[in-house]
């Protein structure tokens, strides 16, 4: 089955700096890679996703890159703000609707004002 | 769009009782819903896959007789924790698949279960 590794487990940055979270996956058939933000006591919120037919996707301060050959993908947050502080999870899936997501272990991001 | 609700958000019960958690997709139909359990400072652990009109598929190690899942309609799935014990205390989260082609999952806000 799929195995997703996520690094780092914790990340502390100064407000305004960039944050990068990296994930690797094992199943070469995976083709859908979402990122979720989870605030304390809440459910995960989809913030961005990427499919295997593209190498990069950007949405304002958030971007995701995918390297299918190396089987890794990364989340980039620029101009970080204190409200970006949360736990971020990457996931991978064979993208047909109804297939399970395999999650990484999570990254606790702390943005210091 | 793509809003998923859960009810209740928090429940405290006595050991031995059963608790039902509802998961609803509010503005879309979901043929597939997933149930996860999350312990403090850990990732989400998939418990089962719920398909409308059919029996749920449980992950290895998850007792199907203890965690009863019903997916009666395209907008509602329920998880019943039967004969709950303190070790069942956890954060239970559901998700619903919105995409028709790709596996876009949207999560509910979670239910905090505490078993005394």
């Amino acid at each position: 089955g799929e195995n997703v590794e996520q690094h780092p487990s914790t990340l502390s940055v100064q407000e305004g700096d960039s944050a990068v979270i990296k994930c690797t996956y094992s199943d070469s058939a995976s083709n859908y890679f979402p990122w979720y933000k989870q605030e304390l006591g809440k459910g995960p919120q989809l913030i961005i996703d990427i499919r295997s037919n593209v190498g990069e996707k950007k949405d304002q301060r958030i971007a995701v890159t995918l390297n299918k050959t190396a089987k890794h993908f990364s989340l980039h947050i620029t101009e970080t703000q204190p409200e970006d502080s949360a736990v971020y999870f990457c996931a991978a899936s064979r993208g047909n609707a109804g297939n399970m997501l395999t999650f990484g272990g999570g990254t606790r991001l702390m943005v210091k004002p | 769009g793509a809003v998923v609700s859960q009810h209740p958000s928090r429940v405290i019960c006595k050991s031995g009782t059963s608790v039902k958690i509802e998961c609803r997709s509010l503005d879309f139909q979901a043929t597939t819903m997933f149930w996860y359990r999350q312990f403090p400072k850990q990732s989400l652990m998939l418990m089962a896959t719920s398909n409308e009109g059919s029996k749920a598929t449980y992950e290895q190690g998850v007792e199907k007789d203890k965690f009863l899942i019903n997916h009666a309609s395209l907008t509602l799935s329920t998880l019943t924790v039967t004969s709950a014990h303190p070790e069942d205390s956890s954060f239970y989260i559901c998700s619903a698949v919105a995409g028709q082609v790709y596996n876009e999952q949207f999560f509910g806000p979670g239910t905090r279960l505490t078993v005394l």
Side-chain angles (χ1 to χ4, degrees):
Chain A
E2 175 69 281
N3 182 50
V4 178
E5 299 282 341
Q6 183 171 347
H7 298 282
S9 57
T10 60
L11 178 60
S12 181
V13 300
Q14 207 66 37
E15 182 178 1
D17 288 350
S18 295
V20 180
I21 303 170
K22 299 181 179 181
C23 288
T24 59
Y25 62 98
S26 61
D27 185 355
S28 57
S30 289
N31 58 5
Y32 176 64
F33 307 93
W35 286 88
Y36 290 89
K37 175 184 180 182
Q38 186 178 28
E39 297 178 341
L40 190 62
K42 298 183 179 180
Q45 177 188 10
L46 179 68
I47 56 172
I48 195 167
D49 57 14
I50 191 168
R51 293 153 191 172
S52 60
N53 56 345
V54 297
E56 184 174 356
K57 184 177 179 180
K58 190 174 182 179
D59 183 3
Q60 299 182 344
R61 296 187 296 110
I62 296 173
V64 57
T65 58
L66 170 65
N67 183 327
K68 283 216 71 180
T69 303
K71 294 210 275 290
H72 66 71
F73 55 112
S74 301
L75 178 71
H76 304 253
I77 306 175
T78 59
E79 301 173 28
T80 54
Q81 301 167 2
E83 51 265 38
D84 293 330
S85 296
V87 178
Y88 291 80
F89 291 98
C90 65
S93 171
R94 296 187 181 191
N96 295 331
N99 283 353
M100 60 177 282
L101 292 172
T102 301
F103 284 88
T107 297
R108 184 171 300 276
L109 173 64
M110 292 168 284
V111 180
K112 298 177 182 177
Chain B
V3 178
V4 177
S5 71
Q6 272 184 251
H7 178 80
S9 58
R10 186 182 295 268
V11 57
I12 301 172
C13 69
K14 293 182 179 180
S15 187
T17 60
S18 294
V19 174
K20 180 185 283 189
I21 303 170
E22 292 186 349
C23 176
R24 293 181 185 270
S25 56
L26 298 185
D27 51 0
F28 64 99
Q29 293 183 330
T31 54
T32 302
M33 291 184 174
F34 297 89
W35 286 96
Y36 295 84
R37 183 164 53 182
Q38 187 179 34
F39 293 107
K41 296 187 178 181
Q42 293 189 20
S43 189
L44 288 80
M45 184 186 78
L46 180 66
M47 299 176 66
T49 302
S50 170
N51 291 297
E52 185 265 340
S54 62
K55 291 183 178 180
T57 302
Y58 290 82
E59 294 301 300
Q60 192 173 8
V62 179
E63 300 175 58
K64 63 179 181 180
D65 294 329
K66 181 169 183 62
F67 299 100
L68 302 178
I69 292 172
N70 183 275
H71 194 153
S73 76
L74 288 172
T75 60
L76 173 65
S77 177
T78 60
L79 167 68
T80 302
V81 182
T82 62
S83 187
H85 289 94
E87 56 265 31
D88 298 323
S89 298
S90 189
F91 194 50
Y92 291 87
I93 313 172
C94 70
S95 72
V97 177
Q100 293 298 314
V101 176
Y102 279 94
N103 193 16
E104 299 170 88
Q105 289 188 32
F106 294 90
F107 284 80
T111 296
R112 173 74 59 193
L113 171 63
T114 303
V115 184
L116 303 177

